[in-house]
């Protein structure tokens, strides 16, 4: 028999898997907690969410997710401080962006109470799964998929909203080497680049593998029209430091409005770092690398927070970036993670107690 919160039905797992997990050696995103949240859209409305033991889904072969790709997701983390309190980082921004993505992919928007109460109830139930090792966290994946059936090319009439969680170690990829893309595009004007749609990521895998085959770790995406302007670093927003100014591209139809990106801009301003939000041309970056004014490049996103770039390739030429003792990347990452883990003052009001 399950229990009920205000709007969430809870069915607890009979046996926990937690004792099978080595929390000192956690991979990223491939070990899953005991429970998940499922909320179904049927008959024109979202039904109350249910929390149940983590388990496989059963879907009809004609479910439209398989044929027309109606799928969106978010990436979040839950943290525990030294006192054992649970914290989220700007969760309402994730909720707003989920619904922004939903609208673009013709998925019904989700009620805020279902998202927030479902999320907090799930985290309280699986609180023991939130690791406290340095750099570790509980990765939280909210997503919506089209479960309604039919081969007709139209939006589904049924959907599933799910939240699943994965205790994860520090996401450390080291400094990466990237290839500036001259042919393929991640997104186009009027498209779905600003949405966290599953298909955006599927389309990245092939060009990224081509870059890996050439000895790089990731791709720097350029604009779809001219390939003259850099836009994103793999699945992350990108920042470029020329001299002492930190520059990032403006959000658009093509660029995801990253929560970490927004946070970095606010913290940089608080630190007195000069910032510019504007188009960044490939030519400008190459020239800055040649004349020594290019000091840093880094990706910004939920998983790694900040991922420094050690060098980049363009038109068969490689360019190395200097190794700085006091980089903006390390400063900004520390400021954000200190807020996330409740180690420092949160003057921005970003931290959310569960």
């Amino acid at each position: 028999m399950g229990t009920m919160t205000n709007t969430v039905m809870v069915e607890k797992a009979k046996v926990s898997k937690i004792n099978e997990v080595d929390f000192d050696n956690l991979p990223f995103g491939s070990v899953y907690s005991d429970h998940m949240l499922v909320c179904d859209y049927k008959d024109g409305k979202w039904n109350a969410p249910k929390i149940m033991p983590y388990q496989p889904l059963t879907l009809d072969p004609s479910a439209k997710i398989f044929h027309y790709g109606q799928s969106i997701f978010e990436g979040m983390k839950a943290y525990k401080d030294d006192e054992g309190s649970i914290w989220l980082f700007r969760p309402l921004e994730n909720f707003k962006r989920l619904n922004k993505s939903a609208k673009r992919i013709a998925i019904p928007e989700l009620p805020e109470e279902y998202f927030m109460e479902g999320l907090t109830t799930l985290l309280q139930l699986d609180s023991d799964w939130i690791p406290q090792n340095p750099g570790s966290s509980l990765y939280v994946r909210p997503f919506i998929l089209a479960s309604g059936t039919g081969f007709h090319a139209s939006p589904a009439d049924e959907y599933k909203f799910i939240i699943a969680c994965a205790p994860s170690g520090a996401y450390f990829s080291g400094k990466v080497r990237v290839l500036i893309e001259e042919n393929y595009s991640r997104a186009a004007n009027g498209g779905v680049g600003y949405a966290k749609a599953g298909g955006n990521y599927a389309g990245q895998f092939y060009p990224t593998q081509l870059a890996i085959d050439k000895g790089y770790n990731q791709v720097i995406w350029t604009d779809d029209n001219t390939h003259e302007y850099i836009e994103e670093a793999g699945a992350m927003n990108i920042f470029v430091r020329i001299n002492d100014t930190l520059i990032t591209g403006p959000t658009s139809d093509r660029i995801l409005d990253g929560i970490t990106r927004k946070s970095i801009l606010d913290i940089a301003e608080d630190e007195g770092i000069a910032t510019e939000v504007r188009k960044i041309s490939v030519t400008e970056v190459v020239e800055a690398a040649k004349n020594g004014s290019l000091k840093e490049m880094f990706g910004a996103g939920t998983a790694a927070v900040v991922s420094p770039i050690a060098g980049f390739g363009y038109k068969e030429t490689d360019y190395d970036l200097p190794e700085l003792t006091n980089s903006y990347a390390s400063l900004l990452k520390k400021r954000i993670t200190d807020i996330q883990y409740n180690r420092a003052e949160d003057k921005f009001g970003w931290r959310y107690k569960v």
Side-chain angles (χ1 to χ4, degrees), residues 21 44 68 88 151 256 277:
V21 177
Y68 305 113
L88 290 165
F151 292 145
L256 188 74
V277 177

Side-chain angles (χ1 to χ4, degrees), residues 96-331:
K96 291 173 188 173
R97 192 171 62 186
L98 184 78
N99 271 347
K100 186 178 179 182
S101 298
K103 187 173 183 179
R104 181 62 182 85
I105 310 298
I107 292 172
E109 294 178 45
L110 190 76
E112 181 180 321
E113 63 180 301
Y114 286 3
F115 182 93
M116 290 304 298
E117 188 173 344
L119 174 62
T120 55
T121 304
L122 178 61
L123 293 177
Q124 288 162 355
L125 184 60
D126 276 356
S127 62
D128 289 346
W129 286 85
I130 305 174
Q132 288 184 274
N133 298 6
S136 298
S137 59
L138 186 71
Y139 187 78
V140 180
R141 172 52 61 89
F143 60 103
I144 302 177
L145 60 89
S147 54
T149 60
F151 292 145
H152 188 265
S154 61
D157 58 359
E158 295 184 3
Y159 298 87
K160 284 186 179 294
F161 167 59
I162 298 170
I163 305 178
C165 302
S168 298
Y171 190 101
F172 180 71
S173 57
K175 287 196 173 183
V176 299
R177 301 192 70 83
V178 298
L179 180 66
I180 295 180
E181 182 57 54
E182 300 175 55
N183 181 36
Y184 295 98
S185 298
R186 176 190 169 273
N189 286 328
V192 297
Y194 69 88
K196 281 190 77 73
N200 287 348
Y201 297 80
Q204 294 184 32
F205 295 153
Y206 176 67
T208 301
Q209 187 58 52
L210 294 179
I212 291 169
D213 292 343
K214 292 179 179 178
Y216 300 94
N217 305 99
Q218 232 345 318
V219 166
I220 295 288
W221 299 105
T222 50
D223 70 285
D224 64 304
N225 187 27
T226 65
H227 296 287
E228 291 177 3
Y229 296 94
I230 67 171
E231 298 205 323
E232 293 203 354
M236 309 175 83
N237 293 120
I238 188 166
F239 283 82
V240 174
R241 175 185 173 185
I242 296 179
N243 290 319
D244 290 332
T245 300
L246 195 61
I247 311 164
T248 193
T251 56
S252 67
D253 285 351
R254 304 182 308 277
I255 297 178
L256 188 74
D257 187 10
I259 295 163
T260 306
R261 172 190 175 276
K262 290 190 283 196
S263 305
I264 284 174
L265 287 171
D266 287 344
I267 290 173
E269 183 181 352
D270 187 61
E271 289 283 346
I273 295 171
T275 60
E276 293 179 5
V277 177
R278 62 169 175 82
K279 286 185 173 183
I280 312 164
S281 73
V282 177
T283 301
E284 179 182 12
V285 172
V286 170
E287 288 303 314
K290 287 178 179 177
N291 66 32
S293 61
L294 180 63
K295 305 301 184 186
E296 295 181 67
M297 294 172 67
F298 56 85
T302 297
V305 184
V306 168
S307 183
I309 293 169
F312 67 89
Y314 182 64
K315 291 192 181 297
E316 308 300 324
T317 303
D318 285 328
Y319 302 87
D320 293 320
L321 275 77
E323 289 197 22
L324 304 179
T325 306
N326 298 307
S327 67
Y328 286 176
S330 58
L331 168 67

Side-chain angles (χ1 to χ4, degrees), residues 40-53:
D40 287 310
Y41 181 89
K42 288 184 178 180
D43 301 321
K45 68 180 190 329
W46 286 103
N47 296 306
K50 301 175 184 176
I51 289 173
M52 61 185 68

